[in-house]
Amino acid sequence: MYSYLNKFLLVLLIAIIVTPIFFGILGFLLPSFGYFPILDKYEFSLNYFVISSNIPGVSKSIFLSFFTGFVSTLLALILSQVIILNIFETKLYKLIKKIIAPLLAMPHVTMAIGLIFIFTPSGLFFRIFSPWLTGFERPPNFFIIPDDYGFFLILGLVLKEIPFFILVSISAIEQFSAKKIFNVGKSLQHSVLSVWCFLLFPLIYRRIRLIVFIVIAFTASVVDMSLLLAPSTPSTLAIQILQKYQASETNSLFIASNLALIQLLVIIILILFWVLIEKIVSHKLFFTIFVNCLTFKNNLIKNLTFIIVSILFFLSLLVLISSFLWSLAGDWYFPNFLPKTLDIQNLVEFFNENKKIIFSSIVISLIVSLLACLFVIIWVELTDGLKKKRQYIEWFIFLPLFIPQISFLIGIQSFLIPLNFSDFLVPLIFVELLYVIPYCFIILVPSLREISKDFLKVAASLGKNKFEILIFIKIPMIMPTFLLSVAIGMLVSFALYTPVYFIGAGRVTTLTVEALNLALSGSKQDLGVATFFQIIIPILILLIVGWYNNNFLKWKF
């Protein structure tokens, strides 16, 4: 009887993931062909493909999405490996998670705002060299951000994704005897770079390949960072879709849906292109060429990339510093490098005016994260007996991350419109779950499945049922990982912009949405304060979890 119930519950969990995905895809797929019964459109047509192809600048938008997605993912992956190989087997390697926690916790839109603080005409970059070198007594009348080809968007994505790749790579390293392989390679007189490229990285990449594909899909379709850092004439395909969706014409929804379908095709082509590059890199001929280029004694490439990484790390710190300075700045006129006065009055006023938004941002992220962790725990319990068959069904969990957010959410919105919700909080929580569950899954599942069976057998021999074993044995044993999963889930939910914009529909808003609105239209002081709260709240969440783990947990192994 239990096996049938087990299968039913497993199918139910899969349906929770697959059903909204199905309707989300259907919701933009059908309108892209002109079929949308809500607006009395019942005929299928290819007309909107013609209309979309004739939109001014759409070809450049497609190129920008492809180019920024590919280059940012490639650079972030390479540079993350450079960082790890330079600190591997050092004291810094043990502390790396704590060092990059603030960067990992920072929402994408916050990184974009920080770059604006640095590179706008009145930003820190021009203040450093003015007036002693540039002669500027006033901000120059030209802009370097955003640029025409999305290089600043790539920079922002690289700065944000490097910490993520470092964490998942470290997690992958812990799954095999990396230290032993590393020492064997060095004993054969190979350089550290050679050992990493030829021996360790292939093993790491095999374990993070799925995550690389997820990053590709995200970077090629990101909305919030593109609004601030991408060129506007034209912008990326995601912004073209957003602009069409916001237009008041009847046909705008159909054009937006059609562009969403095109964006999905771009993501698929981009992933296939990446797979092709994998095949080329793994070919023996490429290996021979690479060995000839990378001599065992030449550290030029390693040193050069390490210099680049150091510059990026300094830039990330500058993003944090500039955001904090603007949040506390009183009078800060160009070309002064530092504000004349620092005052917390801006912080107090912003908090008092936006308490409800800040509170709702934290509560929504906490609810979503706890539900996601609960989902993962139930999933592991139900799939415990499937063993090898698990890999054939667990890819469903990661499916939402492969679909461009804006495409998927336009589709979901199409089905929510007829339901006429008075409050969109419940649909928002449900949609955010789809994006948070995969991250909680990555963190929680290995710990749950690596619990020694001996503990469970002893508990069973004492008459404990499966529910009691889960509550009193398994969860206490993985409590540090569970709390970390809750924290990471909160950070992911806290940083989401597109789901709140589309599903919240203006009735539910969060700090991320407010920060982006201020970035597009507000003063730098207000924007700095919003950015301060976006940085400090995730950091506090991580610090609270770390403090609790160190002081109150009884089960430590």
Side-chain angles (χ1 to χ4, degrees):
M1 180 64 183
Y2 174 78
S3 61
Y4 288 109
L5 179 61
N6 197 38
K7 291 177 181 178
F8 171 77
L9 292 175
L10 185 58
V11 171
L12 181 62
L13 290 185
I14 294 174
I16 291 175
I17 299 291
V18 174
T19 303
I21 294 174
F22 172 76
F23 284 106
I25 294 176
L26 201 65
F28 73 82
L29 185 63
L30 295 179
S32 67
F33 288 96
Y35 182 85
F36 199 52
I38 297 174
L39 296 179
D40 294 326
K41 298 282 187 177
Y42 296 97
E43 295 182 2
F44 286 91
S45 172
L46 298 177
N47 291 339
Y48 290 103
F49 284 93
V50 178
I51 296 173
S52 296
S53 63
N54 291 325
I55 294 174
V58 70
S59 57
K60 185 179 179 181
S61 296
I62 293 173
F63 167 77
L64 279 173
S65 298
F66 190 98
F67 177 69
T68 55
F70 175 77
V71 175
S72 59
T73 304
L74 181 63
L75 288 178
L77 180 62
I78 292 174
L79 295 175
S80 66
Q81 300 308 306
V82 171
I83 293 174
I84 298 176
L85 72 87
N86 277 280
I87 64 172
F88 191 63
E89 287 198 311
T90 66
K91 292 181 180 179
L92 185 57
Y93 180 76
K94 297 178 182 180
L95 299 175
I96 189 64
K97 290 184 179 180
K98 296 180 181 179
I99 293 173
I100 65 173
L103 300 179
L104 184 67
M106 193 187 308
H108 286 79
V109 69
T110 308
M111 181 66 74
I113 292 170
L115 290 176
I116 290 174
F117 284 152
I118 296 172
F119 291 108
T120 50
S122 61
L124 288 183
F125 180 77
F126 285 102
R127 290 173 185 264
I128 291 173
F129 301 104
S130 300
W132 63 273
L133 182 61
T134 63
F136 295 141
E137 294 289 345
R138 294 182 178 181
N141 192 24
F142 59 82
F143 292 85
I144 62 174
I145 182 171
D147 60 284
D148 287 338
Y149 296 98
F151 291 118
F152 274 101
L153 176 58
I154 291 172
L155 175 61
L157 288 168
V158 168
L159 291 175
K160 194 66 188 71
E161 299 303 338
I162 283 177
F164 181 60
F165 274 135
I166 289 175
L167 280 184
V168 296
S169 297
I170 290 175
S171 177
I173 288 170
E174 294 172 353
Q175 297 175 26
F176 62 94
S177 304
K179 185 176 180 180
K180 186 182 295 185
I181 297 171
F182 185 75
N183 292 332
V184 169
K186 289 181 67 176
S187 68
L188 297 175
Q189 304 302 311
H190 291 272
S191 68
V192 174
L193 184 59
S194 299
V195 172
W196 201 269
C197 291
F198 299 128
L199 299 180
L200 288 178
F201 180 68
L203 298 175
I204 294 172
Y205 183 78
R206 190 183 306 166
R207 290 166 172 80
I208 67 170
R209 187 168 181 254
L210 177 65
I211 294 171
V212 172
F213 289 158
I214 291 172
V215 172
I216 289 173
F218 174 80
T219 54
S221 59
V222 63
V223 176
D224 47 5
M225 293 189 83
S226 296
L227 281 170
L228 301 178
L229 300 179
S232 57
T233 53
S235 190
T236 60
L237 195 55
I239 304 306
Q240 288 267 29
I241 296 170
L242 183 63
Q243 291 170 348
K244 292 298 178 184
Y245 181 82
Q246 292 173 332
S248 57
E249 295 84 359
T250 305
N251 280 341
S252 61
L253 175 62
F254 297 93
I255 299 172
S257 299
N258 193 266
L259 290 173
L261 176 59
I262 293 173
Q263 186 180 53
L264 179 60
L265 295 176
V266 169
I267 300 296
I268 294 172
I269 293 171
L270 184 52
I271 291 176
L272 292 176
F273 180 69
W274 187 277
V275 172
L276 176 62
I277 292 177
E278 288 179 348
K279 300 293 183 183
I280 296 173
V281 170
S282 62
H283 196 273
K284 292 182 179 179
L285 178 61
F286 182 88
F287 180 81
T288 305
I289 295 172
F290 193 63
V291 168
N292 292 332
C293 294
L294 185 65
T295 60
F296 295 146
K297 297 181 180 180
N298 188 0
N299 289 324
L300 177 63
I301 298 176
K302 188 185 99 170
N303 293 334
L304 180 62
T305 51
F306 186 69
I307 290 172
I308 295 173
V309 165
S310 301
I311 294 173
L312 293 177
F313 180 73
F314 173 76
L315 189 58
S316 298
L317 290 179
L318 204 58
V319 165
L320 292 172
I321 293 170
S322 62
S323 299
F324 281 124
L325 286 177
W326 273 111
S327 67
L328 299 172
D331 296 328
W332 195 5
Y333 301 110
F334 190 90
N336 297 333
F337 182 68
L338 294 174
K340 288 185 178 181
T341 59
L342 296 176
D343 190 1
I344 65 168
Q345 187 62 31
N346 293 334
L347 292 173
V348 175
E349 290 179 359
F350 183 88
F351 178 78
N352 289 332
E353 293 173 1
N354 297 276
K355 284 187 290 188
K356 186 176 180 180
I357 293 177
I358 295 172
F359 179 74
S360 64
S361 300
I362 296 173
V363 170
I364 290 172
S365 63
L366 179 61
I367 293 172
V368 170
S369 184
L370 289 174
L371 288 175
C373 291
L374 178 63
F375 178 98
V376 172
I377 291 172
I378 295 174
W379 178 277
V380 172
E381 289 296 301
L382 294 178
T383 59
D384 189 47
L386 295 179
K387 296 180 180 179
K388 291 183 179 180
K389 294 180 181 180
R390 290 193 297 243
Q391 60 183 328
Y392 297 111
I393 59 174
E394 287 185 347
W395 67 271
F396 283 113
I397 290 175
F398 297 92
L399 192 57
L401 301 183
F402 288 98
I403 304 171
Q405 282 189 14
I406 192 168
S407 304
F408 171 71
L409 293 169
I410 283 178
I412 289 290
Q413 184 74 348
S414 298
F415 282 95
L416 288 178
I417 290 173
L419 299 178
N420 195 24
F421 280 99
S422 58
D423 185 357
F424 283 84
L425 181 60
V426 173
L428 176 61
I429 290 174
F430 184 75
V431 170
E432 285 199 4
L433 266 175
L434 300 177
Y435 294 103
V436 175
I437 285 173
Y439 294 97
C440 294
F441 185 91
I442 291 171
I443 297 169
L444 261 183
V445 168
S447 296
L448 278 169
R449 288 177 175 164
E450 288 172 7
I451 293 175
S452 175
K453 300 298 181 184
D454 294 336
F455 290 104
L456 308 183
K457 290 178 181 177
V458 170
S461 67
L462 295 174
K464 302 296 182 182
N465 58 41
K466 289 195 172 185
F467 180 76
E468 291 173 323
I469 291 174
L470 173 64
I471 298 299
F472 299 111
I473 304 296
K474 288 185 177 181
I475 292 180
M477 289 182 70
I478 64 154
M479 186 56 71
T481 307
F482 175 80
L483 292 177
L484 177 63
S485 179
V486 172
I488 296 299
M490 288 185 68
L491 301 188
V492 173
S493 173
F494 190 79
L496 288 174
Y497 167 76
T498 318
V500 181
Y501 177 83
F502 280 94
I503 308 302
R507 294 177 177 85
V508 181
T509 188
T510 62
L511 193 57
T512 300
V513 176
E514 185 67 18
L516 188 57
N517 292 337
L518 288 171
L520 295 173
S521 60
S523 69
K524 283 192 173 181
Q525 279 84 1
D526 292 337
L527 179 58
V529 174
T531 306
F532 171 85
F533 281 105
Q534 274 203 299
I535 295 172
I536 202 67
I537 290 174
I539 291 176
L540 286 175
I541 292 171
L542 291 175
L543 289 177
I544 290 170
V545 169
W547 173 77
Y548 186 85
N549 284 343
N550 291 331
N551 293 281
F552 290 96
L553 289 186
K554 298 178 181 179
W555 293 71
K556 294 184 180 181
F557 296 90

